[in-house]
Every structure is written in C-alpha cells, then in structure tokens.
Amino acid sequence: MNNRLRVLRAERGWSQADLAEKLEVSRQSVNAIETGRYDPSLPLAFRIARLFGASIEAIFQEEEQR
Amino acid sequence: MFCKDKTPAFKRYQRRVQVAMAAYFVVILSAAWVVKHGSLVGWKLYFWSVLPAVPIIAVIVGMARYLAEETDEFQRLIVTRALLMGTAALLGTLEVSDFLRSFANIDPFPPFTCFVIFAVTFGITNFVQKLKNKVPADE
C-alpha cells in the first residue's frame, strides 16, 4: 500500500519524532509506515487521517491505483 | 526497539524481566545449594526442584502482559513475530527429539535445551528485525 504520509508531514514541517508523538507511537512505527514496510490497522489509519484532516483514502492508496 | 525509542509498555516489561531474572539467580543458587547439601526427599525435593521455574514462568507472563499493554501496534508486531519464531524453533526441536526417542531410542536432549533454543531464536529474530527497522536520522 502506498501513502502520502511523508508529504503531508513535510507540508506541516513535522519531523518523524513530532508525528510519532502526536500519534502516540514510536518513530520506528512512523518510519515503517512511511516507507511502506508496514500497513497500519484501521484504528491507527483513522487516527492518522484525523490528525491530517483528510480521509483515509486521501492518505493511503492501493498500489495498483497509483 | 532501540534504547532511545522504548515505549512505556516496553519499559515496564524490562523492569519486570529484571526483577524476575534477579529472583531467578537467587532461587537457582539457593536451590542448587539446598538440593546438594540438604539430602532432600519427597515433596521437599520436588518443591526445590520446581522453584527455579517460577521466575522463568514470570518472564513468560511478563511477555504476555507486554503484548496486552503495548499500544504501539508495530512494536507489538515485531515482538509477536519473534515469539512465533521462538515457539516454532521450540516445537520443531521437541518434535525432532521425540521422534529420535521413539524410533531410534536416543536419549532425550539435555535439560533446558528447548528453552535455550526458544530464547536464542527469540533474541536473534528480535535483533534482526530491529536492524531491518532501524530508523535513519530524523528529518
């Protein structure tokens, strides 16, 4: 699954540590999601979407849709 | 998980394991001394023989509590994978040992072999995953 997490984070000038703190997860988790090595659960995806004020689909896309 | 990035649940887990391991060393040394010098028989011998297992069981319970308390799902996944690999190695070793005993009349593996295999596999898997997920300097 692809995602726009790194772009959205950069737009706000947040570091990975900043985002990890806001999501209450480790920086390893943020890095794994950003690099596509880990797909978050639905609850975490909702938390991410709420934080960026966007829908889940606007942040996460299936690979073939890209 | 590297030292600078420990979750609260992981810190609690570490504290519990440290306490359990400290208790283990006290108990194992006491049990070894008492069994050697105490001329124990019956339930007293059974009691002192089983006692060192209690702190080890506490470590296993600590792992279970960690998995229940960890709110960082990615960290939980890493530990779960390591536990599964450790369990697979443990069960595989037991199977090999049991078939060798059944068909080849070979003596069972030495005591504690299975737990050591579990612990080593768990540790190696955890370490490899930490290396694979090592984060670069923050942007």
Side-chain angles (χ1 to χ4, degrees):
Chain A
M1 192 174 285
N2 296 309
N3 68 76
R4 298 178 54 235
L5 207 55
R6 189 185 293 271
V7 175
L8 292 167
R9 178 171 64 75
E11 282 173 2
R12 285 155 180 80
W14 295 343
S15 65
Q16 284 187 340
D18 294 333
L19 181 56
E21 194 180 333
K22 291 175 196 300
L23 292 172
E24 296 180 334
V25 297
S26 63
R27 198 158 79 80
Q28 275 182 314
S29 303
V30 169
N31 189 62
I33 295 169
E34 280 189 359
T35 52
R37 278 181 289 111
Y38 176 66
D39 294 328
S41 68
L42 206 48
L44 181 54
F46 270 115
R47 259 163 47 212
I48 293 168
R50 262 199 306 273
L51 183 66
F52 288 110
S55 65
I56 290 176
E57 296 91 331
I59 300 173
F60 297 94
Q61 300 95 30
E62 283 183 278
E63 296 206 13
E64 60 267 21
Q65 288 181 343
R66 234 184 155 182
Chain B
M1 200 175 308
F2 289 95
C3 297
K4 60 186 176 185
D5 205 15
K6 290 176 183 169
T7 63
F10 190 77
K11 288 177 187 168
R12 286 196 294 276
Y13 162 73
Q14 275 193 318
R15 272 199 301 275
R16 287 180 198 132
V17 169
Q18 284 164 0
V19 170
M21 291 316 291
Y24 174 74
F25 283 111
V26 172
V27 170
I28 191 74
L29 291 174
S30 305
W33 190 89
V34 169
V35 169
K36 188 176 179 183
H37 300 285
S39 305
L40 303 178
V41 289
W43 70 267
K44 287 181 184 173
L45 180 60
Y46 293 139
F47 172 80
W48 281 101
S49 300
V50 168
L51 200 58
V54 174
I56 300 296
I57 292 169
V59 171
I60 296 168
V61 171
M63 285 178 182
R65 284 184 69 182
Y66 167 72
L67 289 178
E69 292 174 1
E70 181 57 81
T71 55
D72 188 325
E73 60 188 48
F74 181 65
Q75 299 298 342
R76 193 168 55 227
L77 176 70
I78 286 177
V79 176
T80 304
R81 279 181 186 154
L83 283 170
L84 283 173
M85 288 295 286
T87 306
L90 166 73
L91 292 175
T93 306
L94 278 174
E95 281 302 302
V96 169
S97 173
D98 286 350
F99 278 116
L100 283 172
R101 286 172 67 186
S102 299
F103 295 135
N105 291 323
I106 286 177
D107 290 337
F109 289 170
F112 312 117
T113 302
C114 289
F115 190 79
V116 169
I117 285 173
F118 166 80
V120 168
T121 309
F122 173 77
I124 290 173
T125 309
N126 226 358
F127 181 71
V128 168
Q129 289 191 98
K130 283 173 191 173
L131 283 182
K132 278 173 67 180
N133 294 298
K134 194 175 179 184
V135 287
D138 208 353
E139 303 149 16

